[in-house]
Amino acid sequence: MEDKKIKILGIETSCDDTAVALIEAEGDLNSPKFYLLKNELSSQIKMHAEYGGVVPGLAKRAHSKNLVPVLKKVLEDENLKKDKESPSKEKLRTIETLLEREPELFEDFKKNIAPLEKPDLGLIAVTQGPGLGPALWVGVNFARTLSAWWDIPILGIDHMEGHVAVNLLQIEKGSNIEFPALALAVSGGHTQLIFIKDWFDYELVGETLDDAVGEAFDKIGRLLGLPFPGGPHIEKLAKSGDEKAFKFPRPMLSSGNYNFSFSGLKTAVLYKTKEMSEEEIEENKADIAASFQAAALETLITKTISAAKEYNVDSVLLAGGVAANKELQKGLGQNIKKELSGTRFYLPSIKLATDNAAMIATAGYLRYLHGEKSDWKTMEAESGKVINEEF
């Protein structure tokens, strides 16, 4: 049993949000308790909107600019004073080496973070994949810098595991998710069904063979002239539309497995709009959005329920940015209640469904309880392997 409370700093830069969070945690793997102290984020949506998608190089530069200001917001209640001791030249050289590719971030760190006394932290947790390589490296090296400067342990965390683990922040403190469980992990980069026998005992039972569902939402949003990211705008527009107006395909519902494919659905919407004039598209925009959303969500929900039955799970978890979709939450919840009597349904709040650092800190505590250890020196090799596998 882990009786002592520990503060964990989480850092997330896998895509276009610079996120830093601080949580306090205690308890063991069977009954963890989490207290969310700070959860700050700097969004890059406006910057990427004109390109219709995230530009990795721009995201990387924005992370370099935003990490220190966001970290300062998180630490402002820690009442950190100026450190009386001057840092050694050797320590400064180490930091400069760690941030050699981010000179602006190094100067910002040296000016605003280095002079402060060490905060009361027991662990730093940082996303090390999957995600955009350039964006990930900025966060990883910044976290390694903090670890080296403050002499605090550090752990690299899987982004999708963070999305699953953040459900723990939504349930009663001291409670755990009931296993075995099935997670539907849906985001701009992933669509996965994950069978979870227990923490760290995962089996991928289904995934997308092409576009992730969040990516499909973005592409259809762009097709309809909606702002980036498309998901929230399609969901809003669909409320005033008729989901039965257009009969779009439900991909791979009869495939005999739990994989997904959304490229055919996306193409069907594209071909339908090509049959229309601009005026007709505008007149039918809400119906197109509603019909597309209904097809995508029915596919997700049907396969999730089928897999949950086959694997006889006690819980179903919703995870990832698309988990913020209210229609998905409602539809999945209703089907679980109807077809999976007694099965628990866990879902994050909208704020915790999208990318954030609280989820990384939460997963970090679980890995810490599991006995995993690392430091700023070994993190480079660990992260390099993960990030290079992605790219």
Side-chain angles (χ1 to χ4, degrees):
M1 179 76 174
E2 185 72 23
D3 293 316
K4 185 180 179 182
K5 287 184 179 179
I6 177 176
K7 285 184 178 180
I8 303 168
L9 186 74
I11 297 174
E12 151 64 26
T13 64
S14 67
C15 194
D16 61 334
D17 289 327
T18 307
V20 182
L22 183 65
I23 69 167
E24 191 170 62
E26 62 179 329
D28 60 17
L29 281 171
N30 294 316
S31 56
K33 296 180 183 179
F34 296 95
Y35 309 86
L36 181 55
L37 305 180
K38 277 293 186 76
N39 191 29
E40 298 291 341
L41 181 146
S42 178
S43 175
Q44 302 176 16
I45 286 178
K46 289 183 179 179
M47 180 179 69
H48 295 286
E50 63 179 292
Y51 301 99
V54 179
V55 181
L58 292 179
K60 172 183 178 292
R61 288 194 289 274
H63 288 312
S64 294
K65 182 179 179 181
N66 295 332
L67 272 166
V68 168
V70 177
L71 175 62
K72 287 186 70 178
K73 282 185 180 180
V74 168
L75 296 179
E76 63 185 1
D77 292 337
E78 298 298 296
N79 298 316
L80 301 180
K81 301 176 182 178
K82 295 281 186 179
D83 199 336
K84 295 178 182 178
E85 296 184 13
S86 299
S88 67
K89 291 182 179 180
E90 182 181 355
K91 214 171 188 180
L92 279 170
R93 281 195 297 270
T94 298
I95 301 310
E96 189 170 15
T97 300
L98 286 169
L99 296 177
E100 62 182 348
R101 295 185 179 181
E102 312 297 334
E104 181 183 6
L105 181 55
F106 170 68
E107 292 299 329
D108 207 2
F109 174 88
K110 192 167 63 171
K111 178 181 178 182
N112 293 290
I113 304 300
L116 300 178
E117 61 186 5
K118 177 181 176 180
D120 178 24
L121 296 175
L123 178 69
I124 296 170
V126 59
T127 304
Q128 66 176 5
L132 302 175
L136 286 166
W137 271 121
V138 176
V140 165
N141 284 331
F142 184 66
R144 291 175 64 219
T145 297
L146 297 177
S147 173
W149 191 258
W150 290 330
D151 192 24
I152 294 173
I154 184 173
L155 284 176
I157 302 299
D158 182 280
H159 180 81
M160 297 310 293
E161 184 174 68
H163 274 304
V164 172
V166 81
N167 281 283
L168 288 169
L169 294 181
Q170 300 295 118
I171 64 179
E172 183 181 351
K173 291 178 175 60
S175 300
N176 203 348
I177 291 165
E178 296 180 17
F179 298 108
L182 181 75
L184 173 63
V186 279
S187 67
H190 294 82
T191 304
Q192 299 176 330
L193 279 171
I194 307 164
F195 177 52
I196 309 174
K197 298 177 185 177
D198 203 341
W199 290 119
F200 323 117
D201 190 354
Y202 308 127
E203 179 186 346
L204 182 64
V205 299
E207 62 182 333
T208 182
L209 303 180
D210 40 60
D211 292 350
V213 66
E215 182 183 1
F217 267 89
D218 287 341
K219 288 179 177 178
I220 298 304
R222 191 157 59 241
L223 183 66
L224 296 178
L226 301 176
F228 175 82
H233 297 285
I234 286 179
E235 181 183 4
K236 183 178 180 180
L237 184 60
K239 291 178 181 178
S240 59
D242 178 5
E243 65 180 41
K244 297 181 180 179
F246 299 97
K247 191 169 180 58
F248 294 132
R250 273 61 173 163
M252 296 187 70
L253 274 188
S254 303
S255 63
N257 58 45
Y258 299 117
N259 289 329
F260 301 89
S261 171
F262 293 99
S263 63
L265 173 57
K266 178 193 67 178
T267 301
V269 179
L270 173 63
Y271 284 168
K272 178 56 67 175
T273 57
K274 282 187 174 181
E275 297 173 2
M276 301 177 176
S277 65
E278 290 186 9
E279 291 78 11
E280 288 174 325
I281 293 174
E282 191 61 36
E283 289 174 6
N284 292 278
K285 188 181 287 189
D287 288 345
I288 295 171
S291 299
F292 161 75
Q293 178 175 261
L297 299 191
E298 183 181 336
T299 303
L300 293 173
I301 292 168
T302 301
K303 292 219 167 195
T304 301
I305 296 299
S306 295
K309 288 179 178 179
E310 179 177 335
Y311 285 85
N312 193 29
V313 299
D314 292 328
S315 306
V316 174
L317 294 81
L318 192 54
V322 182
N325 185 292
K326 289 289 185 66
E327 288 301 309
L328 176 57
Q329 294 179 3
K330 179 182 175 182
L332 186 55
Q334 288 175 341
N335 278 272
I336 289 171
K337 188 175 182 180
K338 179 182 177 182
E339 300 190 45
L340 300 170
S341 178
T343 301
R344 300 288 298 273
F345 179 38
Y346 300 93
L347 71 163
S349 66
I350 291 178
K351 189 173 183 180
L352 293 177
T354 53
D355 289 354
N356 64 86
M359 69 184 198
I360 302 304
T362 303
Y365 183 64
L366 298 179
R367 289 281 172 184
Y368 167 80
L369 290 177
H370 192 233
E372 298 187 23
K373 296 180 179 180
S374 187
D375 58 35
W376 65 271
K377 293 179 182 178
T378 56
M379 264 290 293
E380 180 178 22
E382 293 169 4
S383 296
K385 181 180 179 182
V386 173
I387 295 173
N388 290 335
E389 283 179 352
E390 287 292 313
F391 299 89

